[in-house]
Amino acid sequence: MTEFDTIAAISTPMGEGAIAIVRLSGDEAVEIADRIFRSPSGKRLRDVPSHTIHYGHIIDPKSGRIVEEVMVSVMRAPKTFTREDVVEINCHGGFVSVNRVLQLVLANGARLAEPGEFTKRAFLNGRIDLSQAEAVIDLIRAKTDRAMNVALQQMEGRLSKLIRELRQTILETLAHVEVNIDYPEYDDVEEMTPRLLREKAEYVRGQIEKLLLTAAQGKILREGLATVIIGRPNVGKSSLLNALAHENRAIVTDIPGTTRDVIEEYVNVRGVPLRLIDTAGIRETEDVVERIGVERSRQMLKRADFILLVLNYHEPLTEEDERLFAMIEGMDAIVIVNKTDLPQRIDMGRVKELAGGRPIVATSLLHEQGIDELEKAIADLFFGGELEAGDLTYVSNSRHIALLEQAKQAIEDALAGIDAGVPIDLVQIDLRRAWELLGEIIGDTVHESLIDQLFAQFCLGK
Amino acid sequence: MDYHGGTYDVIVVGAGHAGCEAALASARIGAKTLVITLNLDMIAFMPCNPSIGGPAKGIVVREIDALGGEMAKNIDKTYIQMRMLNTGKGPAVRALRAQADKVLYQREMKKTLERQENLTLLQGKVERLIVEDGVCKGVITHTGAHYYAKAVVITTGTFLRGEIIIGDIKYSSGPNNQQPSIKLSEHLEELGFELVRFKTGTPPRVNSRTIDYSKTEIQPGDEEPRAFSYETTTYITDQLPCWLTYTTEETHRIIDENLHLSPMYSGMIKGTGPRYCPSIEDKVVRFHDKPRHQIFLEPEGRETEEVYVQGLSTSLPEHIQRKLLETIPGLEKAQLMRAGYAIEYDAIVPTQLWPTLETKLVKNLYTAGQINGTSGYEEAAGQGIMAGINAAHRALGREEIILSRSDAYIGVLIDDLVTKGTNEPYRLLTSRAEYRLLLRHDNADLRLTELGYRIGLISEERYQKFLAKKEAIEREKKRLQTVIIKPTPQVQEVIREAGGSELKDGIRAADLLRRPEMTYEHIRKLVPADEEIAPEVAEQIEIQIKYEGYIQKSLQEVERLKKMENKKIPEDIDYDAIQGLATEARQKLKQVRPLSIAQASRISGVNPADISILLVYLEQGRIARVSNE
Ligand SMILES: Cc1cc2nc3c(=O)[nH]c(=O)nc-3n(C[C@H](O)[C@H](O)[C@H](O)COP(=O)(O)OP(=O)(O)OC[C@H]3O[C@@H](n4cnc5c(N)ncnc54)[C@H](O)[C@@H]3O)c2cc1C
Ligand SMILES: Nc1nc2c(ncn2[C@@H]2O[C@H](COP(=O)(O)OP(=O)(O)OP(=O)(O)O)[C@@H](O)[C@H]2O)c(=O)[nH]1
Ligand SMILES: [Mg+2]
């Protein structure tokens, strides 16, 4: 039933420009936007005329917290790009907040659009020239072939194994409920009680929550790649953070050991979401405060997805530098040789050896040189050469998160139903929905398996 | 001797549960109809359980009634016991089940057929079809009579090359030792139909006078009068009870010891049996840990002492069956009247059918019932009425009628069959329906009466009554949505008594009704209506208001389904001409030939990407067609 639901996506090239748009298209576009939009005047989007734009805030309906300040345009069918109702949420807070808005939209009923899907709809609704049909087909086909690869990789992953187990738990519960319905007189099948059902539902919810936390890719999406900047004191780590963030977040001084604690900053480097973590320079030290900072830095390293190791061009490599290389062995990293405006004292041959094939970028952060090269190196590392906003790793995972969120919502609906004394066979509708949603993550929605389970689990017959 | 027997609009072959509904629907619509069956004394015969209805199935019976069919009325006239099942659960899964007086059921159905205008009833055996240029023109019987018609419906049940198996004995036979239908099966193969071999079975029958009921538990019918048909007004009050007993360890030991004598395990039976009706030997083998299995003793009628031993379906040799009976409390001395047996038979692979139940291979030929791979009287009857309607419509040049999955369980059943096929005898289960909250037993009339009326199967009088009911529901719902209940002492009292928490403010009656502990009875007491509210109206109001949230959710899903259903696919589209379809999808699509995108998306092996491609292809306008060779 994926053809006519409401779809959403970020529709500006990622990372480019200050404004990003989350676009929704479909019957429920306005309704979904309304669920997360609050206007200062209290007006509802469903009441506004077509082709108008409105100022307000996106809020998380669960926490009530403000997520983003936005302009929302409402365009009703048929005079829209897709000939369906379209809502565009204009955000300006950069990648992370746009992404939060997208996640909210997805959690509130929209489905993440497949690449080219807006175009496809436009076509299906008679909006686009016939000659474009084949291009659209190619797009769909190409997309799924790639998606298949990603799907295959994920099949082997921990995620799909966990989801399989979780689905089996739900399936057994469903079969239990079904057997009570279809074979009401079989006394040896224990009646599924609301209490028992609640237990199962809570277990499932707990597992989904865990998944949402551990889904590594999901973390990247919501939090950015954990990117730790390391280096000896005074090499220019904080300067690097400021350069990438395009603003002064960290204090920069010429006193070694200025940064005593960990500083975090979200930045978007050419579409790559980074959670930059500036650390205290790592060295053996007597200063207690600094020592705590150093210890933290080591901890941060353990959880890092990605390392920026800064060296000083103006000083010979030290034992400490060598130790840093040893600490990040096997991790994704870029080596930055900073202060190139000063005379060279570093042995670049040795640096290359130590880097072991990892990119090396020379910079003078003081003079804002080499920053472009560095940004490019980061993007290359992430996208594998091609700069593409709709990167698949990102797409499929965003989809997973959305599905997990929806599954969790379905379980919560089920729990609410149990609390309200709703009959079990109705609660079951939500439980089943959760099962189906989880199935979509691993591409398995075979309906028959419930019936198979029914007969495998219980002894029935005449 | 070949001779011309007559010309009709529609010919129905077989007068089992499918055939009876098909013939009646066709004749009532106004098509001149002939029904030919092997034995006129066996019309609407129940070869197995003397019972109609149950979860999902009972809802089908009501749907048949709302469409103007006969099964509901016939069982209402002939039941010996009636029960509402799942009363402790939600409204979506409640269902009626009746124990039938088996012989009376047949007699009543025969009477109805005999008295039906436009309908000719004939005993005979159809052996061939008259097919010219891929179009069915009539049938030929074993006596050489040629009957011509514009449409033919085959409903031959388990008779096609039927073989009965008891222990190591196997012989050619229809159910209950009726004659089998061999030539027709061969003829269908000749025409190019793909057939499968299925199997089912039935338990032994014993004499009631030899049962010691004191060792069993009584299972009475409901006190409250109940009926399947929305038109039934008189109820049978003297009901007969059923009885419950159990197998014992001794039963299981005997089965274990004699398993090698079971044709199921010796390899004599090759047909696929249904998982939901396993034989007792299956149950004992598969669920070895279970110390006992339930056995229900069901009387077969008022005028007979025969009792159906439900739960003991078996194809073990007769002498072992006798031994088994001796181990069951209450049946120690029971006299065996008929041995249980398994039956193997041919069915046609149902993906060879259009959703109208017309075959793709032969135009104007329809099949319905067990021949399509289903099992069960209700499943057969549900298909029967749809095939009858469509055959008559074809003959009269009217539109095709297809029920959607959101219209009826019958829609789910037929869609499953023609879209997914089946690799075992197919039985309806509530879990097969994705919109079961909408497909309730209480609202079958609201779902289908309109259609029944439009096609001429529902009388004007009944239709007017139906409209009045609908309006009454709407009026009362509207009233409850506007009238405010104030927190007066009397109101608080009623709420307290119901176990709810007291009102703080005035509340709309509908909102109060949504509270789990409140019923329409309470609300009616607090804010009485000016008009008489009939019980069936009250039932609707309660369900529709209480479960509105869930109903709305389902309706939204149905909305989406409808859009997919409205995207039609031409019957003769050439899938080979569509670039980009995955190979498996292409094969499946060519086989099933779905009529809508919705149907296409339910075919296993057809992925969302293939659906997208298909949609785009359809939209671009130049659709390649398969040429008619
Ligand atoms: C042994 C046995 C056990 C069963 N157990 C179960 C069960 O446990 N649960 C369940 O749900 N269902 C069971 N069933 C199935 C149930 O009986 C059938 O599904 C149902 O009766 C099918 O209805 P029908 O109208 O398709 O066929 P039937 O009721 O079998 O009617 C077929 C009709 O076609 C006629 N006919 C056949 N061949 C010809 C011909 N060549 N020319 C003219 N007329 C012909 C016959 O005379 C008969 O009237 C069982 C059936 C059998 C035989
Ligand atoms: N000449 C020159 N000076 C630089 C460059 N980058 C940073 N600096 C200077 O080096 C000093 C230290 O910079 P920081 O960014 O504070 O270094 P840090 O690594 O964060 O230091 P700690 O937090 O103390 O470990 C400051 O005085 C900077 O102005 C550069 O490219 N060239
Ligand atoms: Mg610093």
Side-chain angles (χ1 to χ4, degrees):
Chain A
M1 219 65 42
T2 57
E3 291 300 336
F4 299 98
D5 47 4
T6 297
I7 51 174
I10 298 175
S11 73
T12 30
M14 209 98 60
E16 313 292 331
I19 289 186
I21 296 175
V22 173
R23 178 192 274 166
L24 290 94
S25 177
D27 284 356
E28 291 177 51
V30 180
E31 204 180 314
I32 291 168
D34 241 349
R35 280 179 208 147
I36 57 168
F37 176 76
R38 294 292 174 273
S39 137
S41 64
K43 76 182 155 202
R44 313 294 316 177
L45 295 174
R46 75 176 84 95
D47 303 323
V48 306
S50 187
H51 293 77
T52 54
I53 189 156
H54 308 272
Y55 168 81
H57 290 97
I58 295 298
I59 56 129
D60 182 341
K62 275 201 206 128
S63 62
R65 227 175 287 147
I66 292 179
V67 172
E68 173 76 335
E69 191 177 19
V70 293
M71 300 293 292
V72 175
S73 26
V74 173
M75 289 157 281
R76 289 181 210 280
K79 280 194 191 150
T80 66
F81 173 61
T82 55
R83 291 211 172 163
E84 299 174 333
D85 286 353
V86 168
V87 173
E88 289 185 351
I89 306 175
N90 299 264
C91 319
H92 54 266
F95 177 83
V96 175
S97 63
V98 176
N99 205 45
R100 279 202 201 117
V101 172
L102 177 63
Q103 295 299 340
L104 269 181
V105 164
L106 297 178
N108 279 280
R111 169 173 66 75
L112 187 71
E114 309 281 356
E117 198 168 7
F118 284 98
T119 316
K120 186 180 99 190
R121 290 211 174 177
F123 172 75
L124 289 179
N125 294 320
R127 179 66 206 269
I128 295 185
D129 193 84
L130 288 186
S131 62
Q132 293 181 17
E134 278 174 20
V136 177
I137 290 186
D138 287 348
L139 192 62
I140 295 166
R141 189 81 265 171
K143 184 248 133 201
T144 49
D145 288 347
R146 278 200 285 165
M148 292 281 275
N149 291 335
V150 173
L152 275 178
Q153 286 162 18
Q154 282 159 349
M155 286 290 269
E156 281 143 22
R158 207 171 97 82
L159 178 71
S160 70
K161 184 163 165 282
L162 283 175
I163 285 185
R164 253 170 239 293
E165 285 165 10
L166 203 49
R167 290 189 86 221
Q168 184 59 26
T169 307
I170 303 179
L171 192 63
E172 281 164 18
T173 311
L174 290 177
H176 195 150
V177 175
E178 293 301 330
V179 87
N180 290 158
I181 294 167
D182 275 324
Y183 295 87
E185 280 155 341
Y186 278 78
D187 61 355
D188 41 65
V189 181
E190 181 193 356
E191 188 79 14
M192 177 61 89
T193 59
R195 202 179 51 79
L196 210 56
L197 195 62
R198 157 172 282 285
E199 233 167 69
K200 299 270 184 196
E202 275 171 352
Y203 168 78
V204 172
R205 180 179 61 183
Q207 293 296 310
I208 293 179
E209 276 169 354
K210 260 198 221 154
L211 273 178
L212 276 169
L213 284 179
T214 56
Q217 306 293 349
K219 194 180 83 186
I220 293 173
L221 266 164
R222 284 179 303 166
E223 302 173 7
L225 279 170
T227 307
V228 177
I229 305 174
I230 58 170
R232 278 190 294 118
N234 217 26
V235 292
K237 298 182 295 297
S238 299
S239 305
L240 176 62
L241 176 116
N242 291 343
L244 289 173
H246 299 290
E247 61 181 314
N248 289 335
R249 274 300 313 268
I251 304 162
V252 173
T253 70
D254 55 0
I255 306 162
T258 300
T259 306
R260 298 293 184 101
D261 209 327
V262 174
I263 292 178
E264 287 194 23
E265 175 66 7
Y266 289 101
V267 300
N268 176 15
V269 176
R270 304 198 182 186
V272 183
L274 300 184
R275 184 161 50 98
L276 280 182
I277 301 154
D278 183 10
T279 63
I282 295 180
R283 61 168 182 186
E284 302 308 319
T285 174
E286 307 299 0
D287 182 323
V288 180
V289 180
E290 199 183 329
R291 211 164 55 208
I292 294 168
V294 170
E295 197 37 51
R296 287 227 188 144
S297 308
R298 288 183 197 275
Q299 292 299 323
M300 288 315 298
L301 263 188
K302 284 194 195 143
R303 280 187 273 148
D305 297 311
F306 178 48
I307 308 292
L308 295 173
L309 169 58
V310 188
L311 302 171
N312 191 340
Y313 185 76
H314 185 53
E315 285 170 18
L317 281 171
T318 66
E319 238 176 75
E320 276 164 18
D321 288 327
E322 303 248 359
R323 218 178 298 134
L324 289 176
F325 273 107
M327 273 167 75
I328 61 161
E329 199 173 274
M331 301 181 77
D332 278 329
I334 293 179
V335 178
I336 294 133
V337 184
N338 187 33
K339 308 200 186 184
T340 50
D341 51 296
L342 300 174
Q344 173 170 9
R345 302 237 170 95
I346 201 166
D347 172 0
M348 282 308 282
R350 179 65 187 147
V351 170
K352 278 203 189 95
E353 259 173 54
L354 288 167
R358 287 178 285 202
I360 300 167
V361 182
T363 60
S364 168
L365 295 171
L366 190 66
H367 300 287
E368 295 183 17
Q369 272 168 14
I371 296 168
D372 261 8
E373 283 82 338
L374 176 60
E375 288 190 352
K376 186 170 177 312
I378 292 172
D380 281 355
L381 202 74
F382 195 75
F383 291 126
E386 68 192 284
L387 239 177
E388 190 187 35
D391 182 81
L392 269 170
T393 324
Y394 153 66
V395 168
S396 58
N397 287 300
S398 177
R399 195 177 73 90
H400 291 175
I401 294 173
L403 286 166
L404 282 170
E405 296 275 13
Q406 285 175 35
K408 189 175 141 201
Q409 186 58 51
I411 294 282
E412 258 151 29
D413 289 350
L415 284 166
I418 296 171
D419 285 342
V422 169
I424 284 180
D425 52 281
L426 292 183
V427 171
Q428 210 255 16
I429 295 177
D430 289 317
L431 210 54
R432 182 164 172 162
R433 171 127 184 86
W435 179 72
E436 284 167 358
L437 287 164
L438 291 176
E440 277 182 44
I441 295 179
I442 53 174
D444 178 10
T445 45
V446 191
H447 190 66
E448 278 292 304
S449 44
L450 175 56
I451 288 154
D452 293 341
Q453 181 68 33
L454 195 71
F455 293 114
Q457 197 174 338
F458 301 102
C459 176
L460 308 162
K462 56 174 181 172
Chain B
M1 251 324 275
D2 281 11
Y3 78 101
H4 179 87
T7 303
Y8 296 83
D9 289 324
V10 173
I11 295 170
V12 176
V13 182
H17 305 280
C20 289
E21 295 294 347
L24 286 170
S26 166
R28 286 169 180 169
I29 282 173
K32 189 178 162 206
T33 306
L34 169 69
V35 52
I36 307 177
T37 191
L38 289 176
N39 185 339
L40 285 182
D41 299 323
M42 300 295 272
I43 285 174
F45 174 66
M46 299 185 197
C48 199
N49 217 330
S51 128
I52 300 263
K57 289 164 170 267
I59 302 179
V60 168
V61 180
R62 291 215 142 187
E63 289 172 353
I64 291 169
D65 185 62
L67 287 169
E70 200 58 31
M71 185 172 243
K73 293 199 174 81
N74 208 57
I75 183 66
D76 283 351
K77 285 186 262 181
T78 59
Y79 64 90
I80 58 173
Q81 169 184 121
M82 184 89 83
R83 288 181 65 186
M84 182 72 86
L85 304 175
N86 288 334
T87 46
K89 304 194 177 82
V93 297
R94 273 169 221 156
L96 269 181
R97 195 188 53 209
Q99 296 299 133
D101 185 318
K102 195 161 136 178
V103 174
L104 207 56
Y105 188 89
Q106 288 168 239
R107 238 178 34 215
E108 281 300 323
M109 189 61 93
K110 179 164 183 249
K111 209 155 69 183
T112 304
L113 291 178
E114 286 166 343
R115 294 177 183 180
Q116 177 60 47
E117 210 162 324
N118 284 334
L119 189 63
T120 305
L121 199 51
L122 179 74
Q123 181 163 303
K125 174 146 89 172
V126 169
E127 293 190 334
R128 296 182 70 80
L129 304 173
I130 305 167
V131 177
E132 290 166 16
D133 299 328
V135 180
C136 187
K137 301 261 163 95
V139 304
I140 306 171
T141 66
H142 69 304
T143 53
H146 292 226
Y147 298 97
Y148 291 86
K150 295 181 187 124
V152 172
V153 187
I154 307 184
T155 67
T156 48
T158 49
F159 287 72
L160 293 183
R161 266 195 295 228
E163 283 180 302
I164 282 182
I165 302 132
I166 310 175
D168 57 353
I169 301 163
K170 183 169 188 173
Y171 56 96
S172 179
S173 173
N176 198 32
N177 291 345
Q178 300 177 78
Q179 60 171 315
S181 213
I182 295 168
K183 290 212 172 122
L184 184 57
S185 196
E186 289 166 355
H187 180 63
L188 288 173
E189 238 166 15
E190 228 171 83
L191 287 171
F193 284 100
E194 190 189 335
L195 305 181
V196 281
R197 199 87 178 134
F198 280 166
K199 171 231 128 185
T200 185
T202 193
R205 317 295 200 267
V206 297
N207 190 314
S208 179
R209 289 189 307 110
T210 58
I211 297 176
D212 181 357
Y213 287 108
S214 69
K215 293 182 178 166
T216 67
E217 290 163 39
I218 190 162
Q219 304 259 301
D222 288 352
E223 301 253 325
E224 194 177 321
R226 306 201 186 270
F228 276 100
S229 172
Y230 290 94
E231 286 193 296
T232 296
T233 48
T234 54
Y235 303 90
I236 297 168
T237 46
D238 62 323
Q239 300 189 49
L240 300 182
C242 294
W243 308 84
L244 172 62
T245 180
Y246 295 91
T247 58
T248 58
E249 275 171 27
E250 186 59 10
T251 324
H252 299 187
R253 195 184 58 76
I254 294 176
I255 290 171
D256 271 341
E257 275 173 11
N258 293 287
L259 217 47
H260 61 284
L261 299 177
S262 161
M264 306 292 303
Y265 293 90
S266 71
M268 182 150 39
I269 293 187
K270 291 186 188 65
T272 315
R275 280 173 300 175
Y276 40 82
C277 302
S279 58
I280 185 69
E281 48 269 35
D282 259 348
K283 289 195 266 188
V284 168
V285 170
R286 284 187 49 217
F287 297 89
H288 210 267
D289 296 341
K290 283 199 60 176
R292 59 180 203 176
H293 296 276
Q294 283 168 308
I295 300 289
F296 291 94
L297 304 174
E298 305 176 358
E300 294 224 328
R302 291 174 199 278
E303 305 290 320
T304 175
E305 296 300 325
E306 245 182 295
V307 170
Y308 176 92
V309 186
Q310 196 218 314
L312 209 64
S313 174
T314 179
S315 51
L316 283 164
E318 195 174 273
H319 67 282
I320 307 289
Q321 293 189 25
R322 287 180 188 277
K323 275 198 196 167
L324 290 181
L325 289 172
E326 283 168 17
T327 64
I328 296 170
L331 299 183
E332 295 91 342
K333 302 221 163 62
Q335 240 171 44
L336 179 76
M337 290 181 71
R338 303 182 207 222
Y341 62 90
I343 185 167
E344 276 192 314
Y345 57 95
D346 288 346
I348 74 165
V349 172
T351 48
Q352 298 172 100
L353 305 174
W354 296 116
T356 54
L357 296 179
E358 185 183 14
T359 69
K360 292 170 186 167
L361 214 52
V362 179
K363 206 167 149 54
N364 297 349
L365 177 65
Y366 297 76
T367 58
Q370 192 128 2
I371 187 178
N372 288 346
T374 61
S375 170
Y377 315 131
E378 304 82 354
E379 285 86 345
Q383 292 171 69
I385 191 168
M386 295 315 295
I389 290 169
N390 278 307
H393 274 205
R394 172 62 53 83
L396 302 176
R398 296 189 193 156
E399 84 218 280
E400 297 186 329
I401 304 291
I402 297 169
L403 296 178
S404 143
R405 298 183 77 87
S406 57
D407 291 333
Y409 269 96
I410 300 176
V412 172
L413 162 72
I414 295 177
D415 181 68
D416 276 349
L417 286 176
V418 305
T419 309
K420 299 180 187 149
T422 180
N423 45 27
E424 67 181 328
Y426 177 105
R427 177 205 204 260
L428 264 179
L429 297 162
T430 59
S431 50
R432 295 198 196 264
E434 42 283 83
Y435 314 112
R436 72 176 173 208
L437 181 54
L438 304 180
L439 306 185
R440 301 189 309 269
H441 114 114
D442 59 86
N443 72 352
D445 59 337
L446 295 171
R447 291 184 273 127
L448 299 170
T449 307
E450 198 72 54
L451 175 65
Y453 175 70
R454 180 155 65 80
I455 57 186
L457 289 174
I458 294 289
S459 69
E460 186 64 39
E461 186 197 341
R462 179 170 175 186
Y463 183 59
Q464 289 308 328
K465 267 200 203 138
F466 163 75
L467 288 182
K469 172 180 172 185
K470 235 170 94 168
E471 280 157 20
I473 295 167
E474 289 313 313
R475 259 201 315 278
E476 180 63 356
K477 258 172 63 185
K478 210 159 170 195
R479 185 180 77 88
L480 296 186
Q481 257 135 23
T482 42
V483 65
I484 304 280
I485 295 181
K486 303 225 173 63
T488 63
Q490 183 229 347
V491 166
Q492 305 288 40
E493 171 72 31
V494 169
I495 293 175
R496 248 196 332 268
E497 255 171 39
S501 54
E502 293 188 0
L503 293 184
K504 296 197 182 68
D505 266 318
I507 182 173
R508 286 187 309 170
D511 290 333
L512 186 59
L513 178 52
R514 282 198 188 94
R515 290 193 177 181
E517 70 278 1
M518 299 306 284
T519 63
Y520 178 69
E521 264 325 297
H522 293 124
I523 304 292
R524 173 150 55 182
K525 240 189 274 165
L526 298 177
V527 279
D530 329 326
E531 57 180 322
E532 182 74 30
I533 301 289
E536 64 272 17
V537 173
E539 181 184 27
Q540 285 311 309
I541 288 161
E542 176 151 341
I543 293 172
Q544 291 183 21
I545 291 183
K546 257 187 149 30
Y547 303 108
E548 194 185 0
Y550 285 92
I551 292 174
Q552 278 309 326
K553 254 197 234 175
S554 295
L555 284 175
Q556 274 170 14
E557 280 176 42
V558 169
E559 249 341 278
R560 272 188 240 145
L561 172 78
K562 288 263 138 88
K563 285 189 192 165
M564 305 254 288
E565 273 175 351
N566 290 339
K567 297 263 177 195
K568 300 288 181 214
I569 306 175
E571 278 179 22
D572 55 354
I573 188 169
D574 182 3
Y575 287 105
D576 285 329
I578 306 176
Q579 275 170 23
L581 286 176
T583 313
E584 189 194 356
R586 191 188 308 277
Q587 275 168 2
K588 289 284 182 62
L589 288 165
K590 278 163 84 171
Q591 186 197 352
V592 175
R593 286 196 267 161
L595 296 180
S596 71
I597 286 291
Q599 195 192 350
S601 68
R602 287 190 290 268
I603 302 172
S604 68
V606 176
N607 294 320
D610 300 306
I611 294 296
S612 286
I613 286 167
L614 198 53
L615 267 172
V616 171
Y617 182 78
L618 288 173
E619 209 60 38
Q620 51 87 37
R622 287 158 304 170
I623 296 165
R625 316 268 173 156
V626 217
S627 59
N628 289 324
E629 317 89 299

